């Protein structure tokens, strides 16, 4: 089996490559070839030496997708995108990378299939940004995609293309709308959602973190570990069970900032909690208020996708996976 | 005011041009220039002599949209598309015309606005084909777009683009999901939905028509006259009232084939009804069963869009508009 990961230099792409390195039977049959692609040359985990190839390319450029697809990978993870803030700041770039890049990939697969029958599995990462306020209290599986950002628009369009190409038998696609990933490893970044991770990760490292919103703010979370679990499950699932609606909102944990902080206190003590400094930022509070806070993910749950059920679990996953099990 | 109609050679495009010819104050301020564009040179109604220009061009070709937009029309009706059957039969052509054509138009408007501030009103015709089974009994304003055809996919994508370009202030857009137009004037065609019109239009002309489905089949209708009314209302409406969700399911009439036939009997007598020949066609019955049959169009109704409320009205509109008021 030949696995292609596009967006392999990103946080989830790297974790996925590491999981593949740790278990070559991960997707049910032996992985004998891995291609890791991104705009910068992705790292190759030590365990994949000999079977993995790392490629730097821009999917939005002519011929790039064709180069990848000419190798006829059996399983494709398409995680590549520029983030919400950048897609909002640069209209043209957002559409070029997030929409045209995906479409060029889908078209390259179609073109390869016209040459010689070919129908790879394609796992696409979408986002809860396809949803825009006003929301119901819990967003169900039949709620409309009415995004309020260009990023969300681009993801919603890719979902539609994914369904149509899959319906036509051009590939066997599944889209996963990921919750906000928490705890995101690494350093604090400037994303408006960054504080959800910062207020846990930094205190766990003995460092201060800034909380710009009220404790009552509710949001929708899954750990990086849960996200990798979604990818693996999506790669193995019989997609005929999805019917024509090929994108699913992934399960997650709906929790308030206050609940995050309580879990931190339980696992790391009051000393950690005291490292959170409250600095209300009305601009961030306004942005966050327009985000979905809770989902009813019946379809994904019935299909066997699983996420954390409490913030303690989510923090534990971070301690185990990023801090060697100790704080 | 300069009005541009793209798709002006089609049935609705021609009717719209005729309405503009009959009333130069139709959109609230004087129309002093009209551009009629289509892949074939559209007819120019006599009343528009002197102010209208007819152009044959393919919106999907490089530079075509730019040629139209360089004239900076104030109001744009974008009705151009290839139909569902053709988009399904020719995957590449459907995406080129229905998706890329629209996107090139939107991008030409954005490019013109970068040269010199420009924000035209844009009225886009979408379709109930953006919805795919399974449906609720009545499709509400928050039901998801999950199309089951490439045509529906292309329309749903254009709706998303329309909303994002409007949100960004690149144009002031509104999308209208039209019901099935009935009675469609002209000769019977091979569209799967053709019989809904054929079984009324042909008997009104004293000719036989074939009914391939059961009398109990329910569907969603509006007359050509109602559709033109939607366009005019959309062109005059304050679109700030729409908020970010820029496409609306238009009001219509939910009725069964049996109700159609009863109305025909009331208006044209049993002689007309006897001209309907029942020839069940399981293939057509299957296609029609996958179509939406009823909508709850609260948003459009609250914004003042109006359609027929019974099949008698719908047949009367045809008799008045196509048959000179007499049968």
């Amino acid at each position: 089996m030949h696995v292609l990961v596009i967006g392999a230099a990103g946080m989830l792409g790297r974790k996925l490559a590491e999981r593949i390195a740790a278990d070559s039977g991960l997707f049910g049959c032996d992985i004998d070839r891995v291609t890791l692609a991104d705009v910068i040359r992705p790292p190759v985990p030590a365990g994949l030496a000999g079977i993995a190839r790392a490629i730097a390319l821009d999917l939005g450029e002519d011929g790039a997708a064709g180069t990848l697809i000419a190798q006829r990978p059996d399983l494709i993870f398409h995680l590549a995108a520029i983030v919400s803030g950048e897609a909002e700041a640069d209209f043209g770039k957002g559409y070029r990378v997030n929409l045209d890049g995906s479409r060029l990939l889908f078209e390259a697969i179609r073109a390869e299939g016209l040459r010689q029958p070919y129908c790879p599995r394609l796992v696409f990462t979408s986002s809860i940004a396809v949803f825009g306020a006003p929301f119901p209290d819990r967003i169900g599986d039949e709620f409309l995609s009415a995004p309020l950002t260009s990023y969300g628009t681009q993801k919603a369009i890719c979902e539609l293309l994914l369904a149509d190409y899959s319906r036509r038998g051009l590939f066997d696609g599944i889209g996963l709308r990921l919750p906000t990933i928490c705890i995101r490893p690494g350093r604090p970044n400037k994303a408006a959602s960054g504080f959800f991770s910062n207020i846990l990760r930094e205190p766990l490292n003995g460092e201060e973190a800034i909380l710009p919103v009220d404790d009552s703010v509710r949001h929708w979370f899954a750990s990086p570990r849960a996200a990798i679990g979604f990818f693996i499950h999506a790669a193995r699932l019989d997609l005929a069970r999805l019917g024509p609606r090929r994108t699913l909102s992934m399960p997650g944990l709906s929790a308030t900032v206050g609940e995050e902080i309580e879990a931190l206190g339980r696992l790391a003590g009051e000393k950690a909690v005291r490292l959170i400094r409250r600095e209300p930022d009305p601009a961030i509070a306004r942005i966050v208020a327009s985000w979905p806070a809770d989902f009813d993910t019946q379809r994904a749950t019935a299909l066997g996708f699983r996420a954390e059920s409490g913030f303690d679990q989510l923090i534990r996953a971070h301690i185990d996976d990023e801090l060697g099990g100790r704080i």
Side-chain angles (χ1 to χ4, degrees), chain A:
Chain A
M1 179 187 235
H2 176 189
V3 181
L4 166 63
V5 181
I6 307 172
M11 187 266 288
L12 292 176
R14 278 181 288 121
K15 285 189 179 291
L16 178 60
E18 283 161 17
R19 272 303 297 275
I20 295 170
D23 180 1
S24 72
L26 196 59
F27 306 119
C29 57
D30 204 52
I31 298 167
D32 54 15
R33 194 166 164 200
V34 176
T35 304
L36 303 173
D38 209 316
V39 284
I40 57 165
R41 200 182 160 82
V44 176
L48 292 181
I51 66 163
R53 187 171 153 231
I55 306 177
L57 54 71
D58 179 345
L59 207 56
E61 278 175 15
D62 266 357
T67 303
L68 295 174
I69 296 307
Q71 304 303 313
R72 300 175 65 89
D74 305 290
L75 169 59
I76 302 167
F77 291 96
H78 174 28
L79 320 179
I82 64 168
V83 299
S84 183
E86 192 174 2
E88 202 62 21
D90 189 337
F91 186 87
K93 186 177 180 185
Y95 277 93
R96 196 167 59 250
V97 175
N98 294 351
L99 173 51
D100 295 331
S102 299
R103 194 164 163 214
L104 287 167
L105 173 65
F106 297 176
E107 278 294 284
I109 296 170
R110 184 167 82 95
E112 181 62 28
L114 289 174
R115 268 188 292 277
Q116 203 178 331
Y118 176 53
C119 185
R121 167 73 50 109
L122 194 152
V123 180
F124 170 69
T125 47
S126 190
S127 164
I128 56 174
V130 301
F131 299 108
F135 309 117
D137 286 345
R138 300 186 78 193
I139 296 179
D141 288 320
E142 296 200 326
F143 189 67
L144 85 171
S145 290
L148 294 175
T149 59
S150 292
Y151 175 83
T153 302
Q154 292 143 15
K155 288 293 187 185
I157 291 173
C158 290
E159 290 185 3
L160 285 161
L161 292 171
L162 185 93
D164 199 40
Y165 279 70
S166 295
R167 185 183 64 83
R168 294 258 191 171
L170 301 170
F171 53 68
D172 197 20
I174 178 170
L176 313 175
R177 289 188 200 117
L178 300 182
T180 290
I181 299 299
C182 185
I183 299 173
R184 215 186 146 78
R187 299 294 306 160
N189 66 22
K190 288 187 172 169
S193 62
F195 70 87
F196 289 120
S197 284
N198 299 347
I199 61 168
L200 301 176
R201 186 190 57 240
E202 299 307 298
L204 287 170
N205 285 332
E207 293 179 31
E208 199 173 66
I210 290 165
L211 174 58
V213 303
D214 197 79
D215 281 34
S216 66
V217 165
R218 179 173 287 282
H219 195 58
W220 181 244
F221 304 99
S223 71
R225 184 194 282 185
I228 301 301
F230 300 154
F231 296 160
I232 297 167
H233 190 64
R236 303 182 58 136
L237 194 65
D238 173 9
L239 298 189
R241 292 175 64 194
L242 291 184
R245 297 184 186 166
R246 289 287 181 139
T247 298
L248 301 164
S249 296
M250 288 292 102
L253 167 66
S254 177
T256 63
V257 167
E259 288 162 7
E260 276 195 77
I261 296 172
E262 285 165 26
L264 178 68
R266 279 191 295 275
L267 291 171
E270 275 310 300
K271 195 174 54 139
V273 171
R274 279 194 298 273
L275 288 166
I276 299 171
R277 190 149 52 85
R278 286 175 167 75
E279 275 184 19
D281 182 330
I284 290 185
R286 234 183 350 262
I287 294 171
V288 174
S290 75
W291 292 345
D294 199 1
F295 288 76
D296 181 9
T297 60
Q298 286 182 23
R299 288 188 70 209
T301 304
L303 288 162
F305 289 94
R306 293 289 176 267
E308 288 82 9
S309 56
F311 240 107
D312 295 62
Q313 250 183 301
L314 217 137
I315 296 174
R316 275 255 165 259
H318 179 80
I319 294 171
D320 288 350
D321 295 347
E322 307 293 335
L323 305 177
R326 296 188 315 181
I327 47 169

